Amino acid sequence: MQSASGLNRWCRLRIRGVVQGVGFRPFLWRRANRLGLTGWCENDPDGVTVELAGPAAAVAAFQNGLTEAAPPLAQIEQVETVTEGPAELLLAGSERFVIHASRQGLPGDALVPADVGSCDACLADVADPAGRRYRHPFTNCTDCGPRYTIIESLPYDREATTMRAFAMCPACAAEYADPADRRFHAQPNACPACGPQVWLVEGGVGGPQLSAAKLAGDAAISAARQLLVGGGILAVKGIGGFHLLCDATGSAVAELRSRKQRAGKPLAVLVESVAVAGQFAIVSEQERRLLESRERPIVLLQKRPGASLLAADVAPGNDFVGVMLPCLPLQQLLAVGLPPLVLTSGNITEEPITWQNEEAVEKLGSLVDCLLLHDRKLVLPCDDSVVRCVAGAVLPIRRSRGFAPLPVRLPKAGPVVLAVGGELKATLCLTRADQAFLSPHLGDVGSVETLRLLEQTAEHFQQLLAVRPEAVVADLHPGYLSSDWAAGYAERLGVPLLRVQHHEAHAAALLAEHGLTVTEQPGVAIACFDGTGYGHDGSIWGGEVFVTGQDGLARVATLAPFPLPGGDACIHKPWRTALALLDQAGVNWDERLACVAAAGKTGQQVLKRQLEANLNCVRTSSMGRLFDAVAAILGLKQEVTYEAEAALRLEAVAASVSQRRDATRYRFTLDQSHGLPWSIGWQQLLAAVVADTLAGRPEADVAADFHQAVAGLLLDVTAQLRAAGLTTGRLGLSGGVFQNALLVELAVARLQPNGHEPLLHHQVPANDGGLALGQAVLGRRQVEAG
C-alpha cells in the first residue's frame, strides 16, 4: 500500500440519507480498496462521514456514480464535500481504508431505515441443508430484514436495537466484524445457536398460557404447518406484529371470519411465489415486480376469471384480492408447499395490530388454535403496506412496512410540527427541515389502545429524529378522538394546537408529493372526493375542488349539498342516503327501488318526517355518499359492514362491462352563476339513474355510466377552470374516492387526451392515511405566519 506521503489528493465527504444499517460502510470500504485509496468512514449523527486520500483520478472515481452504485437499501439524499486539498494535509500514518466505530454526539440528520423483505441470498441460506442457517426463521443480512421495528435510538448500532439481548456466537461475530462479508454490521445478525427462538403455544376458548410451550424451533414450525393443513387458525408473530393465518382454499376462512367477527371485509392472501398467485389472479409485469420487491407489500390483484382455488369468502363481492409474498424467512417456511394462506392483521376490532407476546396471548388466544411466538422484541408495530396498480402508476392504499418511516421530501425547510391525522387509517407525521416523516399505519382511532400507540409513536419519532415540535396539528372536526388527544398532548408539550381542514390537508399532501406548494402559481387544481370531512362552515364536505394561489388553497367548486338524516347512520345504511337524495331531487320513493323497499313502510315514514322537520339532518357535499346512494338505488348494498363496502361493490359491477360504457348518458351540471365556489349539480343525473333502473336497464351498465359521469365531471371542471385562467390544466386527485381504480383510469383517459395533466398520489395514500402529511404542510405554514 502506498504511504500517505506519496498521495496527492484528499477529501472529506458527509453523506446524508438512509445510509445506516443498510451495508453502506462496507460498500464504501470495498469501493475505496478497489481504487487503492486510504482513509476511513464512520456512522455519525448526520449519516456517514468519509475521509479519502489517493491519486486524484482515484478520488474522483470514488465520488463519481456513488449514488447509483449504492447498496439496494441505501437512499443517498446528499453528498457534501466538507473539505479537500493536497494529500499532504492528511494525517500521516494512514496506509489503508478502515471502518471506524460509530461516533456518538449531538443528534443529527440520520434517517431510520424501513423493515424490508428477505433477499434472495438469505432465502438461499435458509434452504441450504449444508449451511448453518438452514431453516433459521430469522436469517438476514445488510440487504434485508428488520430495521425500524428493532431500532431504539440512533446511530444504528446493535446496542441501540432490541438485538442487544442476543450475544453473537463466534461465527456470527466473525461475520459481523468482516467488511468483506455481507453481514458486516448487520445489526440483527444471528443464527440458530445465538439468535431469537420460535415456539408454539396452544390457543382455544380458555386461552393459552405463555409459559406452556409445547414445541420449539423447527418442530414448532412443522407443527404450525400441520395445523394450517388441517384447517386450523394460527397467530404468527412476524417482522412488525402478529398475523392470523388459515388455509385460504377451504372452510377455515369462514371460521376465521366468525371468530374475528369480520363479516365481509376482504382478506389478504400469502403465497410462496408469483406462480402460485397466478393460479387465481392476473399478475402483470408491474405487479410481479411489486410482489417481489424488497418492500413486499400486499398488492391488489384482479381475480382470474373462472379460477376457483380460493374460497369464495376470501374477498366476497370484489374483483380484486390482496396478495403478498413472504417478507421474512419464518413466513417462507410456513408458506412453502402449502396452498394459499389467508393473512390478516392480528388484532381485535378497532385496535391496532398486536405486537407483544403477552398481549397476543391475552387478546388473540381465544381466536386461534395455536400461536407461533418468538423472542425478538419489537420496539413498535408496523403493519403491512398495501398498493395497487392503476393507469400505469402504483397507488399506495396503506403506507407502512417497507416504506415507513422513510421521509417525504418537502419543497422547502420549515418549522418542526407534529400532525396526528384523522379518525380513520391514522398515521402521524413529524417534520424536520425539508423532510416529513410519516409513521406506519396505526389503525382507526376508536380505542384506548390506538390512542396509546399514537402517543408511543409520537414519543419514539421525536427521540429518533431528535426534534421537538413547535406545534401539534389536528383535524378541524370537533368530535375526533385524535383531535382531543392532540389537544392534550400539545398542552403537555407547552405548544399551540393548530387545526387544519380535512380536504385542504388532502390537497396539500398531494401537492407536497409532487414538490408543489399551496401557493403554486399558475394555479393547480385538486379534486378532493371522499366520504366525510368537517368543513369550515360546519357542514360535512366531501366533493370539493381547490385551486392553489398566492393566498393558499381556494375552494372553487363543490358538490351541491344534501341532507344526511341521522348523520353517521347513513354511512352504515346507504339506503338512508339514497332516500334523502331522492327527496332532495324531487324523485318519488318508488317501491320498486331496492333502497325504498329496504326502508320499509315504517322506515319511510320516519325518514320522511325527519327530512321535513330537518331533525338531525347534517348537510353534506360528499361524493362518497353519492357513490353509496347509487349503489343502494341499484340494489347492490343497503347496509355495510366495513368502510366503503357499497362503493367497492359499485366499482366491481361497473368494471364488469368495460366495453359497453356510455360516456355521456349521465352528466353532472356546473352552475357558475353565483361565482366561486361553483355548484356541482347531481339532481338530473340521479333522476336519470332512477329512470333507467325502473326501466330495467342492467345495473352494471348504470354503474359503469355513473363512473363515466364522474370522470366527465373532472374533465369539465378542469376545462372550465383553465378557461377562466385559474389553472393551466393540472388536476390532482385526492381523497378516498380515488382509491377506485376504475374511476382513476377513466379520469386519466379523459384528461390526458384533452391536454390536461392528472396528478396522482404515489408516496402516501389518497385516503386518510395520507392526511397527516397535508396537515403538517399546512400547520408549518400557520407557524410561519405567526
Side-chain angles (χ1 to χ4, degrees), residues 271-321:
V271 295
E272 65 170 298
S273 66
V274 172
V276 175
Q279 296 176 23
F280 58 84
I282 299 171
V283 187
S284 69
E285 177 60 23
Q286 184 182 35
E287 290 163 339
R288 181 196 65 78
R289 291 196 301 268
L290 284 168
L291 286 168
E292 295 179 342
S293 69
R294 62 176 179 261
E295 291 82 9
R296 286 292 197 277
I298 295 172
V299 182
L300 299 185
L301 302 177
Q302 187 174 4
K303 293 178 180 176
R304 185 173 294 280
S308 57
L309 178 60
L310 298 183
D313 45 3
V314 168
N318 198 316
D319 286 344
F320 289 81
V321 60

Side-chain angles (χ1 to χ4, degrees), residues 35 564 575 650 724:
L35 293 168
L564 289 178
W575 63 262
L650 185 68

Side-chain angles (χ1 to χ4, degrees), residues 145-165:
R147 299 290 192 275
Y148 167 74
T149 50
I150 64 169
I151 293 175
E152 295 178 332
S153 62
L154 294 174
Y156 177 48
D157 287 312
R158 193 176 181 101
E159 286 303 307
T161 76
T162 60
M163 285 299 295
R164 67 175 178 274

Side-chain angles (χ1 to χ4, degrees), residues 31-43:
R31 193 175 180 89
N33 281 290
R34 186 175 69 249
L35 293 168
L37 298 171
T38 66
W40 52 266
C41 65
E42 67 181 13
N43 283 344

Side-chain angles (χ1 to χ4, degrees), residues 383-473:
D383 213 334
D384 302 312
S385 293
V386 183
V387 300
R388 76 184 307 177
C389 296
V390 182
V394 178
L395 302 188
I397 304 299
R398 180 201 291 166
R399 185 183 190 268
S400 203
R401 179 183 47 75
F403 301 98
L406 298 177
V408 175
R409 180 68 66 179
L410 300 176
K412 65 175 185 175
V416 177
V417 299
L418 173 69
V420 304
E423 200 78 342
L424 302 178
K425 302 176 177 65
T427 58
L428 295 176
C429 181
L430 184 63
T431 63
R432 183 181 69 183
D434 61 347
Q435 297 168 321
F437 298 84
L438 278 86
S439 74
H441 168 81
L442 302 177
D444 296 345
V445 184
S447 67
V448 172
E449 289 76 11
T450 309
L451 291 173
R452 184 181 300 122
L453 182 58
L454 276 173
E455 181 149 346
Q456 289 173 316
T457 305
E459 294 288 330
H460 189 52
F461 265 51
Q462 290 172 64
Q463 189 265 330
L464 287 177
L465 300 178
V467 294
R468 182 179 181 275
E470 299 174 46
V472 177
V473 192

